Amino acid sequence: MGLLKTIIVGAAVVAGYKYATKKRVEDGKSFLDDIQENIPGWKDKAMQFANKAKQDYAPNTTDLHGM
């Protein structure tokens, strides 16, 4: 049963790889190429979100002793 499961998972991985790397006729790019092009934009958005979260949830230490 383990061998059959390994064969099925292997076939699924190969099919997924072929799908991700198959070039389209319209522009000659693949799904994987699209993802690689979008990574810098996604990284910038993630960094902006992280910086905003740090600002929003950082403890306010401007004047704690002057209460």
Side-chain angles (χ1 to χ4, degrees):
M1 194 59 154
L3 179 62
L4 181 61
K5 190 187 313 183
T6 303
I7 291 170
I8 292 171
V9 169
V13 168
V14 169
Y17 177 78
K18 283 188 171 189
Y19 174 78
T21 58
K22 184 177 179 181
K23 303 290 183 183
R24 292 187 296 266
V25 177
E26 298 88 28
D27 57 1
K29 293 184 179 182
S30 68
F31 176 71
L32 196 58
D33 293 335
D34 294 339
I35 290 175
Q36 289 175 343
E37 287 177 2
N38 291 329
I39 286 175
W42 293 339
K43 181 182 173 190
D44 292 339
K45 287 181 182 178
M47 293 300 292
Q48 290 173 359
F49 178 77
N51 290 335
K52 184 174 180 343
K54 284 180 187 177
Q55 290 175 355
D56 290 346
Y57 297 109
N60 188 0
T61 58
T62 55
D63 191 21
L64 293 178
H65 299 289
M67 290 184 173

